[in-house]
């Protein structure tokens, strides 16, 4: 019998020996000066960065880092020493993986996910804070059978737990044709235990990005991961020493380990749980990490989970295709009087899915009627915009767009399981009632599928959309009495506060002023509070004493003042989940904006990730600012510095998304036609000098503006 501590140290020794060999091989093959970094990250090797406080840039630095890591594994064979040995194991694992990436930018060639980009870390910010992703599981090894492997994964998926897979279970899932990938939140990380480094890197970057934890401050990392990252490990037997050592590191980070391997596991620390019945892994794990899952009981024949939100239904797999860009489709929420609605009435008016040819293009329209004493018409668009999420969480159903530009596909698998048109109604009913229970007493859904009728109804819906847009357009920061704050992201960025105004939505892009207002009215103690705007200090730059007071209080004293309209003077902070980031381009005196989806270079010589690493964690960084996409076309965008006329470069795809509105704003503010064509993109140049030349040629207004710096 071997003691558990001895197993941790022996396992760490194995990983270190392997790393030493890999580093020696890389040195011989590539040379000491050969660059080393993981792709699409500003944190180089994030585990080394986090624990040693050093950015590893080349092979010789990796070798030096290795000597330090080795020392971490030479402590006393007690608890504290075992924890350090666990961290040494992670650094060694990261070194092994880094050597692979030094040889090839894509060593797994699509077969495994391997390293995760900073953009992927950031993408999870909002679902994590809202609880849409209640936690992460790392599953290591092979389940007793292929069927049990898939059952476990799907069990987590249906509870919206994000699943990372390492080793044998990946092949098991593939044999069962399980759909995997980042969008469905099941990631096949890699075949070997050292691939765990990618997950630890992911977690450590979350701490740096959202929590502003400083590299080298290991205690702060432990504290952050323990309190803010609800992760845990499931390890199938047999669990060799090298996995035990990694488990030691996981436990040190606050992540419990559940395993069915009882052999040589003694003494058992509190966070190591032996559960010999693998069918109980999920329950045991959730309990150990104290994760409570809010289950939505919805009467449909397929699974329902936010894990399916990003699922794509391909043409070849679809049974029904309802495309609002080619036929009359729409979705609409209308408020009614209570007596006009029969609660939970779901009516299908027209033919069902099975009456159309497989794969044929059909039309659909939803009218969701709601009633409640506290219901307001301003809530209608807020609910309606959530239909996209509500419907997308159905397994085998894809929903894009909103209003009359929706596009819905139902997969053959969902159809075969019995999914029909009325189930859309069940989903909308259940979600609207549960999410908005404080204002919706009654809800009924009508589903229309007859083309002639849809044409007429769509026209009526369009009138309603137009009326709402007019109301929204008339909402300016000046025309309202209150702003709102949002502190939802504080569960990850404890000092971050968004101030949400009609003309400046939250930086995540998901919280508009109307959303914040609805959130506040639906839950007075929720994340959005009213912020009065009586005591104005400077309306041009956007300073109100009331806002400052709120920010001071909500940030627990870490912020003194924010301006709402300046990027240079006390700009609003960022948590990390921003849709876009803008940064000053000093040669043109303008700003470059880049969205999270764009992974190319910008004229600042930095990628999105690198720019994004300049701000975040609730800290003010003049010159850089995270923001939502819709803010770009706002008249309040950098108003203090001259407004959107400062924008000199944006990715082409972003221009296409915000172009029409931005052109409208520029025409209104500056009398410029087609302003967007004066802005460069990656097809024009990624170089600062060439950018300046282009701006001169396009007659960009920024060249006549005052210097920013
Ligand atoms: Fe987070 Fe701000 Fe979005 Fe609220 S508005 S969820 S605080 S980014
Ligand atoms: Zn955030």
């Amino acid at each position: 019998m071997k003691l558990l501590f001895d197993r941790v140290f022996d396992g760490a020794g194995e990983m270190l020996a392997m790393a030493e060999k890999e580093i020696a091989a890389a040195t011989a093959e590539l040379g000491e000066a050969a660059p080393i970094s993981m792709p699409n990250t500003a944190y180089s090797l994030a585990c080394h960065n986090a624990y040693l406080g050093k950015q590893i840039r080349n092979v010789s630095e990796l070798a030096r880092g290795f000597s330090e890591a080795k020392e971490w594994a030479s402590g006393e064979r007690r608890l504290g020493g075992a924890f350090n040995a666990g961290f040494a194991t992670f650094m060694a694992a990261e070194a092994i993986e880094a050597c692979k990436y030094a040889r090839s930018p894509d060593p797994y060639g699509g077969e495994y996910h391997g390293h995760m980009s900073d953009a992927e870390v950031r993408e999870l910010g909002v679902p994590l804070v809202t609880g849409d992703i209640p936690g992460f599981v790392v599953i290591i090894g092979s389940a007793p059978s292929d069927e049990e492997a898939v059952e476990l994964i799907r069990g987590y998926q249906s509870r919206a737990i994000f699943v990372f897979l390492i080793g044998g279970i990946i092949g098991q899932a593939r044999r069962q044709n399980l759909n995997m990938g980042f969008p469905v939140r099941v990631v096949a990380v890699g075949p070997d235990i050292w691939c765990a480094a990618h997950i630890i890197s992911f977690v450590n970057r979350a701490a740096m990005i959202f929590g502003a934890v400083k590299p080298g401050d290991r205690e702060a990392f432990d504290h952050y991961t323990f309190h803010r990252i609800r992760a845990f490990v499931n390890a199938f037997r047999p669990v060799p020493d090298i996995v035990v050592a990694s488990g030691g590191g996981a436990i040190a980070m606050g992540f419990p380990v559940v395993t069915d391997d009882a052999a040589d596991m003694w003494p058992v620390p509190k966070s190591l749980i032996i559960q010999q019945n693998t069918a109980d892994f999920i329950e045991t794990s959730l309990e150990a990490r104290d994760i409570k899952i809010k289950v939505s009981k919805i009467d449909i024949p397929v699974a329902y989970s936010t894990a399916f939100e990003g699922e794509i239904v391909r043409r070849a797999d679809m049974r029904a295709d309802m495309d609002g860009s080619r036929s009359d489709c729409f979705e609409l929420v209308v408020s009614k009087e209570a007596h006009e609605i029969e609660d939970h009435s779901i009516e299908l008016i027209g033919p069902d899915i099975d009456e159309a040819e497989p794969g044929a293009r059909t039309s659909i329209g939803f009218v969701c009627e709601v009633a409640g004493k506290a219901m307001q018409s301003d809530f209608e668009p807020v609910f309606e915009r959530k239909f996209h999420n509500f419907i997308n969480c159905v397994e085998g159903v894809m929903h894009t767009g909103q209003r009359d530009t929706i596009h819905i596909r139902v997969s053959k698998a969902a159809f075969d399981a019995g999914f029909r048109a009325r189930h859309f109604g069940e989903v909308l009913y259940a979600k609207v009632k549960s999410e908005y229970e404080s204002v919706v007493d009654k809800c009924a859904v009508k589903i229309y599928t007859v083309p002639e009728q849809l044409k007429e109804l769509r026209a009526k819906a369009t009138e309603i959309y137009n009326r709402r847009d007019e109301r929204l357009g008339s909402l300016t920061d000046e025309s309202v009495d209150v702003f709102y704050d949002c502190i939802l992201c504080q569960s990850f960025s404890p000092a971050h506060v968004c101030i949400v105004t009609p003309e400046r939505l939250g930086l995540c892009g998901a919280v508009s002023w109307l959303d914040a207002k609805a959130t506040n009215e639906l839950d007075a103690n929720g994340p959005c509070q009213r912020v009065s705007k009586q005591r104005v200090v400077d309306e041009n730059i956007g300073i109100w004493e009331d806002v400052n007071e709120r920010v001071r209080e909500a940030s627990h004293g870490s912020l003194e003042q924010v301006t709402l309209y300046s990027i240079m003077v006390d700009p609003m902070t960022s948590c990390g989940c921003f849709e876009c980031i803008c940064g000053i381009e000093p040669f043109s005196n303008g700003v470059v904006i880049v969205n999270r989806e764009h992974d190319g270079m910008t004229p600042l010589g930095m990628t999105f990730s690198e720019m994004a690493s300049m701000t975040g964690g609730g800290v003010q960084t003049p010159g850089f600012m995270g923001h939502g996409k819709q803010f770009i076309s706002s008249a309040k965008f950098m108003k203090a510095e001259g407004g959107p006329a400062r924008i000199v470069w944006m990715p082409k795809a972003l221009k296409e998304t915000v172009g029409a509105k931005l052109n409208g704003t520029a025409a209104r503010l500056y009398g410029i036609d087609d302003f967007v064509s004066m802005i460069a993109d990656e097809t024009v140049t990624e170089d600062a000098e060439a950018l300046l030349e282009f701006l001169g040629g396009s007659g960009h207004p920024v060249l006549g503006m005052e210097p920013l710096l």
Side-chain angles (χ1 to χ4, degrees), residues 170-436:
I170 297 174
Q172 295 185 304
R174 285 197 181 131
R175 284 197 289 279
Q176 297 282 313
N177 294 319
L178 187 83
N179 181 15
M180 290 189 274
F182 211 88
V184 291
R185 300 184 187 164
V186 178
V187 176
V189 184
D192 308 299
I193 183 63
W194 33 96
C195 298
H198 299 304
I199 302 163
I200 307 303
S201 156
F202 182 89
V203 167
N204 283 332
R205 277 179 286 154
M208 291 186 269
I209 289 172
F210 299 116
V213 175
K214 295 273 168 306
D217 189 349
R218 214 206 76 198
E219 262 179 40
F221 277 96
D222 288 1
H223 189 265
Y224 189 89
T225 52
F226 183 82
H227 289 283
R228 315 229 172 235
I229 312 267
R230 287 165 305 232
F232 52 92
V233 179
N234 286 177
F236 285 111
R237 79 180 162 174
V239 177
D241 288 354
I242 197 165
V243 173
V244 171
S246 309
I251 289 176
M253 296 174 87
F255 307 157
V257 178
V258 176
T259 178
D260 57 340
D261 191 351
D264 288 337
M265 293 284 187
W266 195 87
V268 183
K270 205 175 111 239
S271 298
L272 173 63
I273 297 140
I274 314 284
Q275 171 54 269
Q276 309 227 24
N277 185 359
T278 54
D280 288 341
F281 265 17
I282 297 181
E283 213 169 303
T284 306
S285 303
L286 296 182
E287 200 175 304
R289 194 64 183 102
D290 199 21
I291 298 175
K292 297 193 180 53
I293 309 269
K294 204 173 116 193
V295 274
S296 319
K297 267 247 140 290
I298 304 178
D299 192 11
I300 53 174
V302 290
Y304 189 88
S305 161
T306 56
F308 300 116
E309 216 180 311
E311 182 192 24
I312 290 166
V313 177
R314 284 172 223 291
R315 185 168 288 280
D317 303 326
M318 72 191 183
R319 176 60 172 77
D321 189 22
M322 303 137 184
D323 185 352
S325 69
R326 292 161 194 269
S327 62
D328 294 308
C329 296
F330 72 97
E331 48 196 28
L332 184 69
V333 174
V334 285
S335 8
K336 297 248 158 178
E337 295 296 326
H339 67 85
E340 296 175 282
I341 296 183
E342 183 194 336
D343 188 45
H344 204 165
S345 143
I346 290 164
E347 221 180 316
L348 171 64
I349 301 139
D352 207 336
I353 298 175
D354 48 4
E355 289 167 59
E357 289 294 310
R361 192 166 289 131
T362 54
S363 322
I364 199 158
F366 308 115
V367 177
C368 179
E369 300 174 340
V370 293
K373 276 193 274 310
M375 181 64 201
Q376 302 178 17
S377 58
D378 268 354
F379 297 160
E380 292 168 359
V382 174
F383 298 179
E384 200 179 280
R385 227 154 33 83
K386 288 285 280 191
F387 281 15
H388 168 67
N389 305 68
F390 294 167
I391 293 176
N392 244 343
C393 293
V394 178
E395 185 182 18
V397 175
M398 183 177 89
H399 178 291
T400 60
Q402 54 166 326
R403 292 186 166 179
D404 56 355
T405 63
I406 53 172
H407 185 180
I408 300 175
R409 280 180 178 173
V410 177
S411 74
K412 285 178 190 150
F415 178 84
D416 290 343
F419 192 90
R420 295 294 181 270
R422 71 176 307 270
H423 295 119
F424 287 117
E426 291 288 356
V427 169
L428 296 179
Y429 171 79
K431 292 306 284 182
V432 166
K433 279 290 286 261
S434 69
E435 300 261 321
Y436 306 114

Side-chain angles (χ1 to χ4, degrees), residues 122 125-126 129 210 488-490 492-493 496 498 507-508 574-578:
R122 288 173 192 280
V126 172
V129 296
F210 299 116
L488 204 52
C489 284
Q490 286 200 349
F492 281 91
S493 275
H496 172 69
C498 274
L507 57 87
C508 56
S574 298
C575 41
C577 57
F578 35 83

